[in-house]
Amino acid sequence: MAELVYRPVVGFAKTLFKVWDLKIDCQGSANIPRSGGAVLVSNHISYLDFIFNGLAALPQKRLVRFMAKESVFRHKVSGPLMRGMKHIPVDREQGEAAYAHALDSLRSGEIIGVFPEATISQSFTLKSFKSGAARLAQEAGVPLIPMAVWGTQRLWTKGYPRNFKRSHLPVTIRVGEAVEAPRDQYAGAITRRLREAVQELLDAAQRAYPGRPKGSEDSWWLPAHLGGTAPTVDQLRTAEAH
């Protein structure tokens, strides 16, 4: 089936990244299968993560269908694009339809992109994972492909204004080896292994990342354990409680 929307959008994004002169360092794309279904699983630190996740699959000539919250599909600009690229709307009150849609897509040989943290991590550390990705992979009989992105939060993330004037920014992407999802194993155990794999990739991406804060006011995008001023998980929990 012709991709009348997805491929032009990819072309536009790649052109925009060249204009911005983003320094994209992507390693491990060969771990994404060239054919057949798979669940691509990533950390989530930016509104733009799905674009960079998708870029990682292009060397394997694959297009990723992402599961995204339903409100994005109602937006007058993003909605038609999301539908045209055959992404999957998720209504959190009625998730069964999205699950069934994703399962059908996997069985037909598509790659489905999932953010198992469900929401952007404002601490820029890995949150707990929901088990949906593991259950999808089990039921469809496909592998889980872990990956991590870093640096995307500096462009546009929750709680900060988007800043597309940040040219020359580095973005680091790491894709890991497949995590198998046997049907005879508990989805929770598979999810723990998956989270460990994403954590290792995130650590590797952070170590490889060449960017550094320009000063104390620019350290907001670094998590506390790396010397930054991003709120910790405990601080976020306390703020939510009040």
Side-chain angles (χ1 to χ4, degrees):
M1 187 180 295
E3 295 288 347
L4 300 179
V5 177
Y6 209 137
R7 295 194 187 282
V9 169
V10 168
F12 175 76
K14 291 171 77 172
T15 299
L16 200 59
F17 294 161
K18 283 184 179 179
V19 170
W20 289 344
D21 193 28
L22 296 184
K23 309 299 183 183
I24 300 174
D25 169 18
C26 180
Q27 295 183 17
S29 288
N31 290 313
I32 297 173
R34 279 192 171 269
S35 62
V39 182
L40 194 66
V41 176
S42 174
N43 66 317
H44 199 12
I45 54 174
S46 165
Y47 292 114
L48 303 177
D49 289 336
F50 75 99
I51 299 175
F52 293 95
N53 292 160
L55 283 178
L58 293 181
Q60 297 294 83
K61 304 187 185 307
R62 301 303 302 272
L63 299 176
V64 184
R65 316 297 177 182
F66 286 93
M67 301 184 76
K69 61 184 181 180
E70 193 261 346
S71 60
V72 178
F73 291 76
R74 294 198 306 267
H75 191 275
K76 63 181 180 180
V77 176
S78 62
L81 293 175
M82 295 293 281
R83 288 189 291 273
M85 290 186 280
K86 304 183 186 71
H87 296 313
I88 300 172
V90 178
D91 182 343
R92 290 176 183 167
E93 300 300 319
Q94 298 177 318
E96 300 87 355
Y99 185 92
H101 186 167
L103 192 57
D104 286 344
S105 297
L106 288 168
R107 286 171 171 164
S108 67
E110 297 274 17
I111 293 182
I112 299 299
V114 177
F115 297 106
E117 298 169 276
T119 58
I120 289 174
S121 170
Q122 291 179 272
S123 67
F124 307 130
T125 59
L126 214 54
K127 299 166 67 174
S128 61
F129 277 20
K130 297 185 182 299
S131 63
R135 290 187 287 109
L136 277 172
Q138 282 182 300
E139 201 166 343
V142 301
L144 293 151
I145 309 297
M147 69 178 300
V149 292
W150 190 247
T152 57
Q153 74 273 35
R154 300 177 71 185
L155 291 166
W156 190 15
T157 192
K158 190 173 182 178
Y160 293 90
R162 58 180 177 266
N163 191 345
F164 298 148
K165 295 178 181 178
R166 292 175 177 272
S167 58
H168 318 300
L169 278 184
V171 172
T172 304
I173 307 167
R174 293 291 181 268
V175 186
E177 295 181 358
V179 174
E180 297 303 323
R183 291 194 178 200
D184 61 352
Q185 289 187 12
Y186 177 51
I190 297 170
T191 300
R192 283 193 292 274
R193 290 203 305 275
L194 180 63
R195 188 182 183 281
E196 288 170 0
V198 174
Q199 182 66 65
E200 288 180 7
L201 292 167
L202 179 57
D203 291 342
Q206 290 170 339
R207 286 194 299 272
Y209 193 72
R212 294 290 180 270
K214 296 175 182 177
S216 58
E217 292 185 0
D218 187 44
S219 64
W220 62 268
W221 55 271
L222 265 186
H225 75 275
L226 293 180
T229 56
T232 64
V233 173
D234 287 341
Q235 287 171 336
L236 289 166
R237 194 177 293 126
T238 299
E240 288 174 3
H242 290 84

